Amino acid sequence: MELMRSHVLVCGGTGCTSSGCQKIINKLDEQLEKHEMKKEIQVVKTGCFGLCEAGPIVIVYPEGSFYSRVEEKDVEKIVEEHLLKGRIVKDLLYKDAIVEDQIKSVDEVDFYKKQHRVALRNCGVINPESIEEYIAFDGYKALGKVLTEMKPQDVIDEIKKSGLRGRGGGGFPSGLKWEFTAKAEGDQKYVACNADEGDPGAFMDRSVLEGDPHAIIEAMAIAGYAVGADMGYVYIRAEYPIAVDRLDIAIKEARRVGLLGKNIFGTDFNFDMEIRLGAGAFVCGEETALINSIEGKRGMPRPRPPFPAVKGIWDKPTLLNNVETYANVPQIILNGAEWFANIGTEKSKGTKVFALGGKINNTGLVEIAMGTTLREVIYDIGGGIPNGKAFKAVQTGGPSGGCIPGDYLDTPIDYDNLIALGSMMGSGGMIVMDEENCMVDIARFFLDFTVEESCGKCPPCRIGTKRMLEILDRITEGKGELEDIEKLERLAENIKVSSLCGLGQTAPNPVISTLKYFREEFEAHIREKKCPAGVCQSLLSITIDESCKGCGICKKACPVDAIVGEKKLLHQIDQDKCIKCGVCIDKCPFKSIAKR
C-alpha cells in the first residue's frame, strides 16, 4: 500500500449528505485525477464530524485544516491552492479556525477542544464502510481480548466496575443489567440494541451508526459472550437510511472476515446479528414495546416485571442497551474500568453525547465528560445564543425531560442533577431556547408530540395527556382560567404514577418544569390574555406606529390585504382580516410595525 502525503476527509453524515457532500467527493476525485495526485492524496468519506451547522465539512490532514460550508465550486480552489501548492485557502476555513491570521487545526477549534470523545471517537475519523480502517484504529481488539483472556463473569465485572449507566434514558447500571441476563435461566438468550431514536432534535445514535457501525457490532458480540447469547438484533428506525445501509455493510464485512458467525477468533464462541426496521413509533423506544415490534407484533409496552433480562424476545432472556451505551464498551475493555470510572462524576461515570439544537450558534453533536456544566456546553462549545438574544431555558431529555432556566446554567450535567431540576438526561437531546420562546407553547409542543405518539394501551396516558393538551390549547388561545393551572398539576401527578410505561410516566415533565420555573408566563396568558414572548398568535395583534411613512411596501406584501391607508399617509391594520403572519414586520424598512 502506497503512503499518502495527505488525507481529505469529507463528512458523509445525514446533514452533509443532504447538503451535497457526494458532489464534493466526485469533484475532488475529478480534480485529483486532473492534477495526477490520486496516488498521493486519499479522499475519505467519513461519518458525522459533529458540527452540523458548518456542513458540508472538508478537513485536510496532516494540517487539520477545517473547511466549512464547502460547495462544489470551491473544490477546484482547495485542490489547486492547498493540495497542489501547499497554501491553505483561508477564505474557505471555518470562521473560528482563523484568529488574527493564526490558523487553528480542527482540534483547536472551540467546538471540539472541550469535548471528550469516547462513543464518538471514530466518527469523522474513519471510513465507516471499511472494516480495515476500523481494525487499524484498534477495532475488534477488545473482542479478541475478551474471547482469549477473559471469562464471561470477568467481562461483567469490568462493566460493573466502570460505572457505565444506560445512555438511553433511565440511567440503569449497565453491568447489573448484564449480570441479571447472564444469571437468567434459558436455553436461548438474545442481545438487542435500541436504535429507535425518536426524540425531536435528537440524532446521537444515528450518527454513531453512520460513523462507527463496527463499534456496535463489536460491543454486542462482547455482550453476547458475557451473558451467554449467540444472536443479536439491532432495532433501528427505517427513516435512518444511511445508518441502516452502513450497519448492513458492516455486518456483512464482519461475517466475511470471521468476526461474526461461528468460532470467532478460533474459539467456540458463536455470534451473529440481524437488523430489524422500525416504522417510527416513538413508543418503541420503550424496551418492551421494542421487543414486541422485533417479534412482529404491534409496538405496545408490556407490564413489568418480568423484565427483559428474564423474559424478553420470544420470552427468552434478553439484554437490551441503546447505541451509545454499546459504543462505550470496547473502550472500557481495552482501557480498563478504572480509566472510564475516572471520567465524569462520582455517580455518573464517563461521557455523554448530546444533540445540541434550537437557538444556538453551533448546532451539532457534542460529547462531554459528565460533570461539565450546562453553561460550558451552551456557551463554550455551542457558541452561545444567535443575534445577541438572551438565554431563557434549555430542554434536556426530549419530550420526557424538562426545561431548565438560566439560574441553573452552572449545574454540572449528570443523571441526578438533571432529575433534581425536574428534567432528565434522556437519550441526549438538548434544545436551547431564547427570550423569543414562549414556555407555555413549548410545553404544549412537547405534550402534543407525546399525545400523538402514545400507543393508547393505558388510560392515564391515552386520556390524561389529551386532557392536559386541551387545557394548554385553551391557555394559548386566551381562553384559560386560573383553575387550569391546578388541573394541569393534578393531572400531571396522576399520569406520572399510574401510566404503564416510561412514555406516559414522563410525558408531563415538560409541563411540570415550565410551571415550576415559568409560572408567571402561564398567569400572563390567563390573567392578561397576553403572550409575553409574542408567540401565541391568538393573543397577539400587529400594529403600525406613528413612524410609518406610508410607503406601501407592507401593503403590497400582505397576503390577505389586511393593511389599509393611502400612500404617504399613516397605514393601519384591519385586525379582523390580519392572520398575524409577520410578513409586514419583515418588509417594513422603517421598523414601524410590531407584534404586541
Side-chain angles (χ1 to χ4, degrees):
M1 184 176 177
E2 296 186 43
L3 190 64
M4 299 287 177
R5 68 173 173 88
S6 286
H7 287 79
V8 182
L9 274 56
V10 182
C11 176
T14 292
C16 289
T17 296
S18 65
S19 300
C21 75
Q22 191 57 51
K23 291 181 180 179
I24 292 167
I25 292 170
N26 294 342
K27 191 70 173 179
L28 277 166
D29 288 336
E30 175 195 304
Q31 288 296 307
L32 291 174
E33 184 74 43
K34 174 184 173 182
H35 294 285
E36 299 181 348
M37 292 192 290
K38 292 278 283 185
K39 293 183 179 180
E40 305 172 43
I41 294 164
Q42 184 172 355
V43 178
V44 181
K45 186 178 183 180
T46 72
C48 179
F49 284 107
L51 190 48
C52 304
E53 178 272 333
I57 292 173
V58 174
I59 297 179
V60 179
Y61 285 104
E63 300 92 334
S65 303
F66 183 4
Y67 295 113
S68 67
R69 297 185 181 173
V70 178
E71 298 179 30
E72 188 180 1
K73 63 181 177 61
D74 300 323
V75 172
E76 190 171 346
K77 191 173 184 181
I78 291 172
V79 171
E80 292 187 354
E81 289 297 309
H82 189 158
L83 300 177
L84 187 62
K85 300 175 183 175
R87 298 191 294 226
I88 294 172
V89 186
K90 292 182 179 179
D91 60 311
L92 296 178
L93 289 173
Y94 175 61
K95 61 182 186 298
D96 292 341
I98 183 165
V99 180
E100 297 177 354
D101 283 337
Q102 293 295 311
I103 297 174
K104 297 180 180 180
S105 69
V106 61
D107 295 331
E108 296 170 326
V109 170
D110 289 344
F111 180 80
Y112 293 105
K113 69 182 182 183
K114 274 206 169 185
Q115 293 192 46
H116 191 141
R117 293 194 153 205
V118 178
L120 297 179
R121 72 185 190 95
N122 285 333
C123 294
V125 176
I126 65 171
N127 175 358
E129 298 181 16
S130 168
I131 193 170
E132 290 79 13
E133 288 202 22
Y134 180 70
I135 291 170
F137 282 77
D138 292 334
Y140 292 104
K141 195 173 178 181
L143 179 59
K145 177 181 177 180
V146 160
L147 296 183
T148 59
E149 300 177 22
M150 301 173 75
K151 296 176 181 176
Q153 188 59 46
D154 296 335
V155 180
I156 292 170
D157 290 341
E158 199 74 0
I159 300 300
K160 286 171 69 177
K161 283 188 288 185
S162 74
L164 176 66
R165 293 171 65 175
R167 299 305 198 239
F172 189 81
S174 300
L176 281 180
K177 187 183 278 192
W178 288 34
E179 190 164 62
F180 293 154
T181 312
K183 289 181 177 179
E185 293 183 6
D187 57 345
Q188 172 71 53
K189 295 182 181 181
Y190 297 104
V191 171
C193 177
N194 181 353
D196 190 57
E197 183 176 57
D199 293 12
F203 50 96
M204 300 76 60
D205 291 351
R206 184 194 76 198
S207 295
V208 173
L209 287 172
E210 288 177 357
D212 198 14
H214 284 284
I216 307 309
I217 296 171
E218 182 177 16
M220 290 179 69
I222 291 169
Y225 174 75
V227 304
D230 62 4
M231 186 64 195
Y233 293 98
V234 179
Y235 185 85
I236 180 170
R237 50 182 47 221
E239 57 260 49
Y240 284 178
I242 296 174
V244 172
D245 186 47
R246 288 180 185 164
L247 180 61
D248 184 54
I249 291 169
I251 289 172
K252 288 173 180 173
E253 284 290 279
R255 283 199 196 112
R256 179 180 63 82
V257 301
L259 292 168
L260 281 177
K262 303 286 187 183
N263 306 118
I264 299 172
F265 277 102
T267 68
D268 59 0
F269 175 62
N270 306 323
F271 188 80
D272 209 341
M273 57 193 296
E274 294 178 3
I275 297 171
R276 287 288 185 271
L277 297 181
F282 181 65
V283 73
C284 286
E286 194 277 335
E287 58 184 9
T288 60
L290 182 151
I291 287 168
N292 271 341
S293 189
I294 285 178
E295 294 175 356
K297 301 171 186 173
R298 184 177 176 186
M300 299 177 78
R302 305 173 182 175
R304 299 179 305 171
F307 291 93
V310 176
K311 195 174 181 181
I313 297 173
W314 292 295
D315 294 336
K316 303 296 184 182
T318 301
L319 173 67
L320 178 60
N321 288 122
N322 86 322
V323 171
E324 187 186 340
T325 310
Y326 282 124
N328 286 286
V329 169
Q331 294 306 298
I332 291 171
I333 298 299
L334 278 182
N335 298 303
E338 197 172 307
W339 164 81
F340 189 82
N342 284 332
I343 305 169
T345 65
E346 184 182 350
K347 293 183 179 179
S348 299
K349 307 296 187 184
T351 62
K352 183 70 189 78
V353 181
F354 288 97
L356 190 59
K359 305 291 185 65
I360 192 80
N361 280 309
N362 297 336
T363 303
L365 210 62
V366 303
E367 183 173 5
I368 47 96
M370 295 280 198
T372 304
T373 66
L374 288 165
R375 186 183 301 277
E376 287 176 285
V377 173
I378 293 167
Y379 286 95
D380 296 346
I381 297 173
I385 316 301
N387 305 316
K389 302 289 185 183
F391 171 86
K392 190 169 193 177
V394 59
Q395 161 89 359
T396 67
S400 303
C403 298
I404 302 169
D407 291 346
Y408 300 98
L409 273 175
D410 293 310
T411 301
I413 297 169
D414 68 16
Y415 290 97
D416 300 324
N417 284 341
L418 293 182
I419 289 171
L421 292 175
S423 189
M424 64 186 295
M425 189 81 71
S427 57
M430 187 178 284
I431 299 175
V432 180
M433 289 158 270
D434 69 10
E435 61 194 71
E436 294 185 344
N437 284 108
C438 168
M439 302 313 294
V440 184
D441 184 63
I442 290 292
R444 191 203 60 78
F445 167 80
F446 281 108
L447 196 63
D448 181 58
F449 176 85
T450 307
V451 167
E452 287 293 317
E453 294 295 339
S454 172
C455 75
K457 185 172 184 177
C458 71
C461 181
R462 182 182 71 244
I463 302 171
T465 56
K466 182 70 172 174
R467 296 292 86 83
M468 288 183 72
L469 180 61
E470 288 168 356
I471 293 171
L472 288 171
D473 282 337
R474 286 204 306 269
I475 293 173
T476 57
E477 291 167 3
K479 301 172 185 175
E481 301 172 353
L482 283 175
E483 293 79 11
D484 285 335
I485 293 178
E486 184 184 339
K487 288 178 186 176
L488 282 172
E489 292 173 327
R490 191 167 64 248
L491 275 167
E493 190 57 38
N494 288 335
I495 293 166
K496 281 178 73 73
V497 299
S498 57
S499 291
L500 175 62
C501 80
L503 186 147
Q505 291 161 11
T506 58
N509 283 350
V511 181
I512 293 170
S513 64
T514 48
L515 278 170
K516 179 179 179 180
Y517 297 119
F518 302 97
R519 198 180 194 90
E520 71 281 357
E521 288 199 31
F522 283 82
E523 292 175 349
H525 282 69
I526 295 168
R527 291 181 190 273
E528 304 169 34
K529 308 301 179 190
K530 175 183 176 184
C531 176
V535 171
C536 299
Q537 292 203 0
S538 297
L539 303 180
L540 297 177
S541 60
I542 295 182
T543 58
I544 302 176
D545 65 30
E546 297 293 330
S547 65
C548 170
K549 307 297 183 187
C551 66
I553 293 174
C554 62
K555 192 174 179 180
K556 288 180 182 177
C558 180
V560 292
D561 297 325
I563 299 176
V564 295
E566 298 298 320
K567 198 153 188 172
K568 297 186 179 180
L569 296 176
L570 178 66
H571 287 6
Q572 293 182 330
I573 296 177
D574 184 335
Q575 297 296 337
D576 292 330
K577 282 187 176 181
C578 180
I579 59 173
K580 306 176 182 69
C581 63
V583 170
C584 56
I585 297 174
D586 296 334
K587 295 291 184 181
C588 179
F590 306 107
K591 307 301 179 187
S592 304
I593 311 175
K595 284 184 181 180
R596 291 180 175 84

Coordinates of all heavy atoms in Angstrom, one line a residue, residues 465-501:
T465 N -53.1 12.7 29.0 CA -52.3 13.6 28.2 C -53.1 14.4 27.3 O -52.8 15.6 27.0 CB -51.1 12.9 27.5 OG1 -51.7 11.9 26.6 CG2 -50.2 12.2 28.4
K466 N -54.2 13.8 26.8 CA -55.1 14.5 25.8 C -55.8 15.7 26.6 O -55.9 16.8 26.1 CB -56.1 13.5 25.3 CG -57.1 14.1 24.3 CD -56.4 14.5 23.0 CE -57.4 15.0 21.9 NZ -56.7 15.5 20.7
R467 N -56.2 15.4 27.8 CA -56.9 16.4 28.6 C -55.9 17.6 28.9 O -56.3 18.7 28.9 CB -57.4 15.8 29.9 CG -58.5 14.8 29.8 CD -59.8 15.4 29.2 NE -59.9 15.4 27.8 CZ -60.2 14.4 27.0 NH1 -60.5 13.2 27.6 NH2 -60.3 14.5 25.7
M468 N -54.7 17.2 29.3 CA -53.7 18.3 29.5 C -53.4 19.1 28.3 O -53.3 20.3 28.4 CB -52.3 17.6 30.0 CG -52.4 17.0 31.4 SD -50.7 16.4 31.9 CE -49.8 17.9 32.1
L469 N -53.4 18.5 27.1 CA -53.1 19.2 25.9 C -54.3 20.2 25.6 O -54.1 21.3 25.2 CB -52.9 18.3 24.7 CG -52.7 18.9 23.4 CD1 -51.4 19.7 23.4 CD2 -52.6 17.8 22.3
E470 N -55.5 19.7 25.9 CA -56.7 20.6 25.7 C -56.6 21.8 26.6 O -57.0 22.9 26.1 CB -58.0 19.8 26.0 CG -58.3 18.7 24.9 CD -59.4 17.8 25.3 OE1 -59.8 17.9 26.5 OE2 -59.8 16.9 24.5
I471 N -56.2 21.7 27.8 CA -56.0 22.8 28.7 C -55.0 23.8 28.2 O -55.2 25.0 28.2 CB -55.7 22.3 30.1 CG1 -56.8 21.5 30.7 CG2 -55.3 23.5 31.0 CD1 -56.5 20.8 32.0
L472 N -53.8 23.2 27.7 CA -52.8 24.1 27.2 C -53.2 24.8 25.9 O -52.9 26.0 25.7 CB -51.5 23.3 26.9 CG -50.7 22.8 28.2 CD1 -49.7 21.8 27.8 CD2 -50.1 24.0 28.9
D473 N -54.0 24.1 25.1 CA -54.5 24.8 23.9 C -55.4 26.0 24.3 O -55.3 27.1 23.7 CB -55.3 23.8 23.1 CG -54.4 22.9 22.2 OD1 -53.3 23.2 22.0 OD2 -54.9 21.8 21.9
R474 N -56.2 25.8 25.3 CA -57.1 26.9 25.8 C -56.3 28.0 26.3 O -56.6 29.2 26.0 CB -58.0 26.4 26.9 CG -59.2 25.5 26.4 CD -60.3 25.5 27.4 NE -60.0 25.2 28.8 CZ -59.9 24.0 29.3 NH1 -60.3 23.0 28.6 NH2 -59.6 23.8 30.6
I475 N -55.3 27.7 27.0 CA -54.4 28.8 27.6 C -53.8 29.6 26.5 O -53.7 30.9 26.5 CB -53.4 28.3 28.6 CG1 -54.1 27.7 29.8 CG2 -52.4 29.3 29.0 CD1 -53.2 26.9 30.8
T476 N -53.2 28.9 25.5 CA -52.5 29.7 24.4 C -53.5 30.4 23.5 O -53.1 31.3 22.8 CB -51.7 28.7 23.6 OG1 -52.5 27.7 23.0 CG2 -50.5 28.1 24.4
E477 N -54.8 30.1 23.6 CA -55.8 30.8 22.8 C -56.4 31.9 23.6 O -57.4 32.5 23.1 CB -56.8 29.8 22.3 CG -56.3 28.8 21.3 CD -57.3 27.6 21.0 OE1 -58.4 27.6 21.7 OE2 -57.0 26.7 20.3
G478 N -56.0 32.1 24.8 CA -56.6 33.2 25.6 C -57.9 32.8 26.3 O -58.6 33.7 26.8
K479 N -58.2 31.5 26.4 CA -59.4 31.0 27.0 C -59.2 30.3 28.3 O -60.1 29.7 28.8 CB -60.1 30.1 26.0 CG -60.5 30.7 24.6 CD -61.0 29.7 23.6 CE -61.2 30.3 22.3 NZ -61.6 29.3 21.3
G480 N -58.0 30.4 28.8 CA -57.6 29.7 30.1 C -58.2 30.4 31.3 O -58.5 31.6 31.3
E481 N -58.3 29.6 32.4 CA -58.7 30.1 33.7 C -57.7 29.7 34.7 O -56.9 28.8 34.5 CB -60.1 29.5 34.1 CG -61.2 29.9 33.1 CD -62.5 29.1 33.4 OE1 -62.4 28.2 34.3 OE2 -63.5 29.4 32.7
L482 N -57.6 30.5 35.8 CA -56.6 30.2 36.8 C -56.7 28.8 37.3 O -55.7 28.2 37.7 CB -56.7 31.2 38.0 CG -56.1 32.6 37.7 CD1 -56.3 33.5 38.8 CD2 -54.6 32.5 37.4
E483 N -57.9 28.2 37.4 CA -58.1 26.9 37.9 C -57.4 25.9 37.0 O -57.1 24.7 37.4 CB -59.6 26.5 38.0 CG -60.3 27.3 39.0 CD -60.7 28.7 38.6 OE1 -60.5 29.0 37.4 OE2 -61.1 29.5 39.4
D484 N -57.1 26.3 35.7 CA -56.5 25.3 34.8 C -55.1 24.9 35.2 O -54.6 23.8 35.0 CB -56.4 26.0 33.4 CG -57.8 26.0 32.7 OD1 -58.6 25.1 33.0 OD2 -58.0 26.8 31.8
I485 N -54.4 25.8 35.9 CA -53.0 25.5 36.4 C -53.1 24.4 37.4 O -52.3 23.4 37.3 CB -52.3 26.8 37.0 CG1 -52.1 27.8 35.9 CG2 -51.0 26.4 37.7 CD1 -51.5 29.1 36.3
E486 N -54.0 24.5 38.3 CA -54.2 23.4 39.3 C -54.6 22.1 38.7 O -54.1 21.0 39.0 CB -55.2 23.8 40.4 CG -55.4 22.8 41.5 CD -56.5 23.2 42.5 OE1 -56.9 24.4 42.5 OE2 -57.0 22.3 43.2
K487 N -55.4 22.2 37.6 CA -55.9 21.0 36.9 C -54.7 20.3 36.2 O -54.5 19.1 36.2 CB -56.9 21.3 35.9 CG -58.3 21.7 36.5 CD -59.3 22.0 35.3 CE -60.6 22.5 35.9 NZ -61.5 22.9 34.8
L488 N -53.8 21.1 35.6 CA -52.6 20.6 35.0 C -51.7 19.9 35.9 O -51.2 18.8 35.7 CB -51.8 21.7 34.3 CG -52.4 22.3 33.0 CD1 -51.6 23.5 32.6 CD2 -52.3 21.2 31.9
E489 N -51.5 20.5 37.1 CA -50.6 19.9 38.1 C -51.2 18.6 38.6 O -50.5 17.6 38.8 CB -50.4 20.9 39.3 CG -49.5 22.0 38.8 CD -49.4 23.1 39.9 OE1 -50.4 23.3 40.7 OE2 -48.3 23.8 39.9
R490 N -52.5 18.6 38.9 CA -53.2 17.3 39.4 C -53.1 16.2 38.3 O -52.8 15.1 38.7 CB -54.6 17.7 39.8 CG -55.3 16.6 40.6 CD -56.6 17.0 41.2 NE -57.6 17.4 40.3 CZ -58.0 18.7 40.1 NH1 -57.5 19.7 40.8 NH2 -58.9 18.9 39.2
L491 N -53.5 16.6 37.1 CA -53.4 15.6 36.0 C -52.0 15.0 35.8 O -51.8 13.8 35.7 CB -53.9 16.2 34.7 CG -55.4 16.2 34.4 CD1 -55.7 17.1 33.3 CD2 -55.9 14.8 34.2
A492 N -51.0 15.9 35.9 CA -49.6 15.5 35.7 C -49.2 14.5 36.7 O -48.6 13.5 36.4 CB -48.7 16.7 35.7
E493 N -49.5 14.7 38.0 CA -49.1 13.8 39.0 C -49.8 12.5 38.9 O -49.2 11.4 39.0 CB -49.5 14.4 40.4 CG -48.9 13.7 41.6 CD -47.4 13.6 41.5 OE1 -46.7 14.5 41.1 OE2 -46.9 12.5 41.9
N494 N -51.1 12.5 38.5 CA -51.8 11.2 38.3 C -51.2 10.4 37.2 O -51.1 9.2 37.3 CB -53.3 11.5 38.1 CG -54.0 11.9 39.4 OD1 -53.5 11.6 40.5 ND2 -55.1 12.6 39.3
I495 N -50.9 11.1 36.1 CA -50.4 10.4 34.9 C -49.0 9.8 35.2 O -48.7 8.6 34.8 CB -50.3 11.4 33.7 CG1 -51.7 11.8 33.2 CG2 -49.6 10.7 32.5 CD1 -51.7 13.0 32.3
K496 N -48.2 10.5 35.9 CA -46.8 10.0 36.3 C -46.9 8.7 37.1 O -46.1 7.8 36.8 CB -46.1 11.1 37.0 CG -45.5 12.2 36.2 CD -44.8 13.3 37.0 CE -43.5 12.8 37.5 NZ -42.5 12.7 36.5
V497 N -47.8 8.7 38.0 CA -47.8 7.5 38.9 C -48.6 6.3 38.4 O -48.4 5.2 38.9 CB -48.3 7.9 40.3 CG1 -47.4 9.0 40.9 CG2 -49.7 8.4 40.3
S498 N -49.4 6.5 37.4 CA -50.3 5.4 37.0 C -50.2 4.9 35.6 O -50.8 4.0 35.2 CB -51.8 5.9 37.2 OG -52.1 7.1 36.5
S499 N -49.3 5.6 34.8 CA -49.1 5.1 33.4 C -48.3 3.8 33.4 O -47.5 3.5 34.3 CB -48.4 6.2 32.6 OG -49.2 7.3 32.4
L500 N -48.5 3.0 32.4 CA -47.9 1.7 32.3 C -46.4 1.8 32.0 O -45.6 1.0 32.6 CB -48.6 0.9 31.1 CG -48.0 -0.5 30.8 CD1 -48.1 -1.4 32.0 CD2 -48.7 -1.1 29.6
C501 N -46.0 2.7 31.1 CA -44.6 2.7 30.7 C -43.9 4.0 30.8 O -44.6 5.0 31.2 CB -44.4 2.2 29.2 SG -44.8 3.4 28.0

